[in-house]
C-alpha cells in the first residue's frame, strides 16, 4: 500500500490573511490539497498561540478565527479534503506540550532567531512572558500530535521546524520512536518565502500593519500599491533605478507571469525586459505600480467575491470549524495514548 503523508499548517488568528500568507503558504496548500498525494491536511487556526502575545486582547483573537477561516475557504481550501480546526479545542496539545517542555533548555529557546525578532518587535525583551517564549515548543506539539511530516511555511518558520526536529529526536531516543520528523516545504519562488510589506523593509505581517489583505476592496488595494516604497534614489523618470531592494519589483517577481505583459503592458515581453528598462532609466514608478495593481487586482478579485458569498452564511463556517475540530480531536486522542504509553505513564491499562 502506498504510504501517504500528513500535512500540518496553520495561522494565528491575529488578523485577516494577507498576500504574504497567500504566496508563502496558502496558495501552495490548496495545490497540495488538490494533488491527492496526501493522506490528510490539518490546518490549524492557532488561537492559543495567538494568545501568547494577545492575552490581554482575547476579543481580537476570537473575532479573527472566523476571518481566517473565511480567507481559507475563499482561497480554495475544501473542508471535504482538508481538516480545519481550532487549536484550543484540542486539549491533548497542552498535555503533549507539557511533556516536551522537559526536553528543551531555556537558552535554546532564547537562541531562536524568529523569537528574538518577535520579542524585540513586541517590546517583550525586558519582561518575557513564559507562554510566548515557549510557543515554539507548543508548535512542536501541533506538528507531531498529528504525525505531520510536511509543513508548508514561509522562511520565518524554519527555526520552529528545526526546534520540532530536535524535540522529536530527544523524545524518540529517550522513550520510544513514535514521533515523525517533519520537514518544511518552502515556496519554489524565493521571493515568496518572506514577502516584504508595503514599507519594503520588514516582512508583510499582520502585527506590522504593512499588508495588502486578501479581502481588501479594489480601491484600497490600488491606494496601497500606489503609495508603495520603491527605490529612494529613483527621483526622476530618467534616473537609473534599482530593482533589487525595490518592493514593487519583488511583488512582480512573486506574482507576474508573461501573460500579464500581453494583457496589461504589451510594449514589454517579460519581467527581465521591464527590469532592464528600469535599471537603464526612463521608466517611471507610476507605470510599474499601475502594472502591479492590474496583476494583484486580477488575482484577488475571485477570492474577494467568494469570500463575500461565504460571509452571508457565517453559521456554515462555524459548522465547518466544529466538524474539523472534532475530527482533529479524534486523531489527537489516539495519538496521546500512544505518547503516554511511549513515556511509560499509562498506569491503568
Ligand atoms: P503575526 O504578525 O500575528 O505573527 P503573520 O502575518 O506573521 O502574523 P502568521 O500567522 O504568524 O502570520 O503566519 C502564518 C504562516 O504564513 C506561516 O507559515 C508564515 O511563514 C507565513 N507567512 C507569514 N507572513 C509571510 C510573508 N510575509 N511571506 C511569506 N510567508 C509568510
Ligand atoms: Mg508570525
Amino acid at each position: 500500500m502506498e504510504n501517504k503523508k500528513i500535512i500540518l499548517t496553520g495561522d494565528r488568528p491575529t488578523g485577516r490573511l494577507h498576500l504574504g500568507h497567500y504566496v508563502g503558504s496558502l496558495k501552495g496548500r490548496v495545490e497540495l490539497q488538490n494533488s491527492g498525494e496526501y493522506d490528510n491536511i490539518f490546518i490549524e487556526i492557532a488561537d492559543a498561540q495567538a494568545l501568547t502575545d494577545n492575552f490581554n486582547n482575547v476579543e481580537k483573537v476570537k473575532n479573527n478565527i472566523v476571518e481566517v477561516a473565511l480567507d481559507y475557504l475563499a482561497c480554495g481550501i475544501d473542508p471535504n479534503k482538508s481538516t480545519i480546526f481550532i487549536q484550543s479545542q484540542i486539549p491533548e496539545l497542552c498535555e503533549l506540550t507539557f511533556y516536551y517542555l522537559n526536553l528543551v533548555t531555556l537558552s535554546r529557546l532564547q537562541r531562536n532567531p524568529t523569537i528574538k525578532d518577535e520579542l524585540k518587535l513586541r517590546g517583550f525583551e525586558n519582561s518575557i512572558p513564559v507562554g510566548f517564549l515557549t510557543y515554539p515548543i507548543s508548535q512542536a506539539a501541533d506538528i507531531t500530535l498529528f504525525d505531520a511530516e510536511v509543513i508548508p511555511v514561509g522562511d520565518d518558520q524554519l527555526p520552529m521546524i528545526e526546534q520540532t526536529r530536535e524535540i522529536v529526536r530527544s523524545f524518540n531516543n529517550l522513550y520510544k520512536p513514535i514521533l515523525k520528523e517533519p520537514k518544511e516545504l518552502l515556496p519554489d519562488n524565493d521571493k515568496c518565502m518572506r514577502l516584504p510589506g508595503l514599507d519594503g523593509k520588514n516582512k508583510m505581517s499582520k502585527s506590522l500593519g504593512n499588508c495588502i489583505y486578501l479581502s481588501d476592496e479594489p480601491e484600497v488595494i490600488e491606494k496601497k500599491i500606489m503609495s508603495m516604497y520603491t527605490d529612494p534614489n529613483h527621483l526622476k523618470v530618467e534616473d537609473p533605478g534599482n530593482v533589487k531592494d525595490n518592493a514593487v519589483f519583488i511583488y512582480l517577481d512573486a506574482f507576474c507571469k508573461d501573460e500579464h505583459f500581453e494583457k496589461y503592458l504589451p510594449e514589454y515581453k517579460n519581467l527581465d525586459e521591464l527590469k532592464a528598462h528600469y535599471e537603464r532609466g526612463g521608466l517611471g514608478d507610476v507605470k510599474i505600480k499601475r502594472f502591479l495593481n492590474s496583476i494583484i487586482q486580477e488575482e484577488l478579485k475571485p477570492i474577494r467575491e467568494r469570500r463575500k458569498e461565504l460571509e452571508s452564511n457565517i453559521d456554515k463556517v462555524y459548522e465547518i470549524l466544529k466538524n474539523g475540530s472534532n475530527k482533529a480531536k479524534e486523531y489527537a486522542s489516539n495519538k496521546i495514548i500512544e505518547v503516554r504509553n511511549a513515556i511509560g505513564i499509562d498506569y491503568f491499562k
Side-chain angles (χ1 to χ4, degrees):
M1 205 187 86
E2 78 183 301
N3 190 10
K4 286 191 175 179
K5 287 188 176 169
I6 296 174
I7 294 179
L8 182 123
T9 81
D11 302 276
R12 295 151 39 93
T14 48
R16 294 178 171 206
L17 299 184
H18 53 63
L19 283 183
H21 297 118
Y22 184 64
V23 293
S25 167
L26 197 45
K27 211 171 167 186
R29 288 180 205 175
V30 175
E31 284 161 20
L32 294 168
Q33 164 195 275
N34 296 337
S35 73
E37 281 172 31
Y38 295 88
D39 220 17
N40 205 341
I41 306 187
F42 289 101
I43 305 183
E44 177 184 89
I45 302 185
D47 61 337
Q49 187 189 114
L51 286 176
T52 63
D53 56 335
N54 291 281
F55 42 84
N56 51 1
N57 199 353
V58 182
E59 207 56 21
K60 168 175 148 190
V61 172
K62 184 179 165 187
N63 293 337
N64 277 308
I65 289 175
V66 75
E67 299 292 343
V68 169
L70 283 166
D71 285 326
Y72 287 164
L73 299 169
C75 286
I77 296 292
D78 175 352
N80 295 313
K81 296 184 187 157
S82 300
T83 307
I84 309 175
F85 70 99
I86 304 177
Q87 185 185 25
S88 63
Q89 302 309 296
I90 319 295
E92 287 80 0
L93 288 170
C94 303
E95 183 176 339
L96 190 57
T97 302
F98 199 42
Y99 305 138
Y100 287 173
L101 285 168
N102 302 326
L103 308 180
V104 183
T105 63
L106 184 58
S107 62
R108 174 65 184 88
L109 288 173
Q110 287 168 328
R111 272 204 312 275
N112 182 317
T114 297
I115 291 289
K116 275 195 199 164
D117 289 348
E118 290 179 342
L119 288 174
K120 214 179 279 165
L121 199 76
R122 286 159 179 76
F124 279 160
E125 285 156 296
N126 296 320
S127 120
I128 305 175
V130 174
F132 187 80
L133 188 67
T134 53
Y135 92 69
I137 302 182
S138 93
Q139 208 168 311
D142 299 339
I143 292 170
T144 52
L145 189 63
F146 295 97
D147 293 312
E149 291 178 271
V150 181
I151 320 293
V153 283
D155 78 353
D156 59 310
Q157 292 302 308
L158 295 181
M160 311 310 176
I161 316 273
E162 185 52 35
Q163 174 72 85
T164 304
R165 282 194 287 265
E166 286 173 29
I167 291 174
V168 167
R169 285 182 212 128
S170 302
F171 184 103
N172 285 347
N173 280 329
L174 267 170
Y175 306 122
K176 275 188 200 157
I178 61 154
L179 300 180
K180 299 226 161 86
E181 271 192 41
K183 206 169 162 11
E184 64 278 356
L185 184 67
L186 290 166
D188 298 333
N189 180 338
D190 66 348
K191 298 292 188 302
C192 299
M193 291 180 191
R194 184 184 292 243
L195 195 76
L198 295 166
D199 52 15
K201 286 198 285 278
N202 300 292
K203 94 169 179 80
M204 187 177 282
S205 164
K206 292 181 235 111
S207 307
L208 294 174
N210 58 3
C211 308
I212 294 179
Y213 293 99
L214 299 180
S215 51
D216 275 345
E217 291 296 333
E219 315 77 70
V220 176
I221 298 170
E222 183 176 1
K223 214 169 144 207
K224 286 180 177 175
I225 291 179
M226 296 315 284
S227 65
M228 274 174 78
Y229 285 82
T230 54
D231 170 6
N233 298 317
H234 185 244
L235 296 173
K236 288 191 249 99
V237 175
E238 319 78 85
D239 292 341
N242 169 11
V243 299
K244 222 176 112 268
D245 307 309
N246 186 323
V248 175
F249 278 98
I250 296 176
Y251 285 23
L252 286 174
D253 272 322
F255 288 96
C256 168
K257 301 191 200 92
D258 290 353
E259 304 92 90
H260 290 133
F261 283 94
E262 228 171 282
K263 211 160 156 189
Y264 302 117
L265 208 56
E267 61 260 51
Y268 302 89
K269 250 208 240 50
N270 54 38
L271 192 51
D272 289 337
E273 275 188 13
L274 189 75
K275 282 182 178 171
H277 192 182
Y278 194 79
E279 283 174 326
R280 235 181 10 251
L283 175 57
D285 284 345
V286 171
K287 192 161 178 176
I288 54 166
K289 285 179 176 176
R290 286 216 179 105
F291 179 50
L292 176 64
N293 180 53
S294 305
I295 295 171
I296 302 291
Q297 296 285 0
E298 181 181 319
E299 188 91 25
L300 294 188
K301 185 167 183 260
I303 298 175
R304 185 174 52 244
E305 286 174 354
R306 236 173 296 143
R307 199 183 197 279
K308 286 216 168 111
E309 271 170 45
L310 294 156
E311 279 168 11
S312 64
N313 195 352
I314 293 292
D315 288 348
K316 189 167 161 225
V317 179
Y318 275 105
E319 188 70 23
I320 290 169
L321 291 173
K322 191 172 157 198
N323 291 338
S325 299
N326 286 338
K327 195 167 163 204
K329 165 107 181 122
E330 201 180 303
Y331 197 100
S333 58
N334 288 323
K335 185 72 186 180
I336 204 75
I337 291 172
E338 211 187 320
V339 168
R340 290 186 202 137
N341 169 275
I343 301 177
I345 50 172
D346 47 348
Y347 308 119
F348 309 115
K349 270 187 282 190

